[in-house]
Amino acid sequence: MTNIIIYSIVVGLLSFLLYEGLVYYQSMAEGGSEQCPPPSTEETTPLTNAQDMTQLKAVMIGATGATGKYLFAGLIKDQRFTKITTIGRRAAFIPEDVEGASDINLEEEVKSGRLVQITKEQIDLNKEINKETVGKYLEGHDVYFSAFGTTRKIAGSAEEFRRIDYGINVDMMTVAKEVGVPHCSFMSSQGSNSNSYFLYMQVKGQIEDKAKELDFDKTSIWRPGVMDRGSTTPRFTEKLAKFVLHTIPVQHVASAMLVEAVERFQNKGEQQGTKCVPIYLNRDIYRYDGLGSKGQPLEK
């Protein structure tokens, strides 16, 4: 009996790793976008603080997650973002390993009005999400970020996973569109496909389809591969996958999402007269995140 259990576990793990490997190499062959070439990421002379008059307002969900917390930290540190609103069960925080974390005072950011943290005391995302309940927290922003997601294991069942991951993401996107947020930036997953036999990939693909259907002025979809969560306890399958597959640090994904939002706001690299929906894979993320120059190979 024990041998059968061990055999089943090994076969399951090998199947997972084979699937992830096939998805990875297929993604590399497909290139960076299914819809259009990603906006140009060629190096340009950076603007000085005096020259860069960009001012954006960002709202996000998933700000306490593995990737979201670094995106949140990046938004706080970037003074081009004049207002940051987080919506979630609890208030967002700055990870200790973020450079200059000890110098950031979130209480002062709240007092100044630059940071607004909407928690379960104001709105319960597990209840009805519509324009009347959350619209006032989303309106007036330039970009809506979603780094929100869960797993079937955490949710407890396939039905709960779909209700949380698909339901909350799609409902929040819908309200963001209804109140006039022009840019939706959604963190999905490598291999996502609405026709997939794998529940996780299927749901992520269905969310992507809905984001495209909503027809924001700008839509960005991020498909990172196996995530390296650093000191955060990784999921068991991610621990195994790190031995045989390329991984991508969550900090790089967060940085890329921020940089891309600013550049698209400034209309850098946009194809005039078209509505592109760039889908970013690992190699696009490394080129976009501003961290690639620090010893990270762009080929990943």
Side-chain angles (χ1 to χ4, degrees):
M1 185 65 178
T2 301
N3 290 337
I4 294 175
I5 294 174
I6 294 174
Y7 176 79
S8 299
I9 292 174
V10 170
V11 170
L13 293 176
L14 289 175
S15 298
F16 167 80
L17 293 175
L18 177 61
Y19 171 76
E20 284 290 334
L22 289 173
V23 168
Y24 175 81
Y25 288 108
Q26 179 184 10
S27 297
M28 292 302 96
E30 288 175 350
S33 173
E34 295 178 355
Q35 303 297 320
C36 63
S40 173
T41 56
E42 293 182 3
E43 291 188 8
T44 56
T45 303
L47 299 176
T48 65
N49 290 337
Q51 292 173 321
D52 193 348
M53 304 301 289
T54 302
Q55 293 186 340
L56 294 93
K57 297 177 181 179
V59 58
M60 71 175 295
I61 63 171
T64 59
T67 304
K69 63 186 179 184
Y70 290 103
L71 175 55
F72 171 71
L75 294 172
I76 289 292
K77 292 179 67 176
D78 194 325
Q79 293 303 310
R80 292 173 297 185
F81 288 87
T82 58
K83 182 179 180 181
I84 300 131
T85 301
T86 67
I87 303 174
R89 288 181 299 170
R90 58 188 186 276
F93 59 93
I94 303 295
E96 293 181 358
D97 60 343
V98 168
E99 184 178 353
S102 60
D103 299 323
I104 299 173
N105 188 327
L106 293 183
E107 290 185 4
E108 289 300 319
E109 296 286 358
V110 171
K111 287 180 181 178
S112 71
R114 179 171 178 250
L115 172 62
V116 178
Q117 302 238 49
I118 306 300
T119 62
K120 62 182 179 181
E121 282 72 29
Q122 288 106 322
I123 179 68
D124 185 353
L125 296 182
N126 285 308
K127 296 182 179 179
E128 189 174 11
I129 299 172
N130 53 47
K131 188 175 180 179
E132 287 66 39
T133 57
V134 299
K136 61 184 177 181
Y137 304 126
L138 290 161
E139 62 185 359
H141 293 82
D142 300 297
V143 57
Y144 165 78
F145 290 109
S146 173
F148 175 83
T150 186
T151 63
R152 179 173 178 169
K153 180 179 179 181
I154 293 173
S157 69
E159 293 73 19
E160 272 298 284
F161 169 71
R162 184 177 295 279
R163 182 189 69 80
I164 295 170
D165 210 294
Y166 179 85
I168 292 177
N169 266 308
V170 167
D171 288 349
M172 290 294 289
M173 284 179 185
T174 301
V175 177
K177 173 65 177 181
E178 289 175 347
V179 300
V181 179
H183 185 185
C184 172
S185 185
F186 169 62
M187 188 183 76
S188 184
S189 174
Q190 180 178 279
S192 60
N193 187 318
S194 56
N195 296 314
S196 174
Y197 290 107
F198 294 88
L199 177 66
Y200 187 85
M201 304 302 183
Q202 180 189 94
V203 169
K204 292 298 184 185
Q206 290 170 346
I207 299 170
E208 291 183 12
D209 291 347
K210 186 63 178 181
K212 298 172 190 174
E213 179 186 320
L214 286 169
D215 197 29
F216 286 84
D217 290 346
K218 299 179 178 72
T219 304
S220 306
I221 293 173
W222 302 86
R223 289 185 183 173
V226 179
M227 305 284 266
D228 183 351
R229 299 162 190 265
S231 58
T232 302
T233 303
R235 297 166 185 165
F236 179 65
T237 51
E238 290 172 356
K239 289 181 181 179
L240 292 171
K242 286 174 69 173
F243 287 105
V244 294
L245 299 175
H246 289 287
T247 60
I248 186 164
V250 291
Q251 295 92 329
H252 286 262
V253 182
S255 176
M257 291 177 74
L258 187 156
V259 170
E260 191 258 9
V262 172
E263 292 199 355
R264 293 196 78 182
F265 181 81
Q266 297 170 335
N267 290 319
K268 289 183 180 179
E270 291 288 341
Q271 294 184 3
Q272 298 300 319
T274 65
K275 270 195 177 181
C276 293
V277 180
I279 299 177
Y280 300 106
L281 307 177
N282 276 11
R283 62 182 181 184
D284 307 304
I285 293 168
Y286 274 106
R287 290 188 175 101
Y288 229 128
D289 69 359
L291 303 176
S293 61
K294 298 182 180 180
Q296 294 293 340
L298 298 182
E299 291 77 22
K300 281 193 173 183

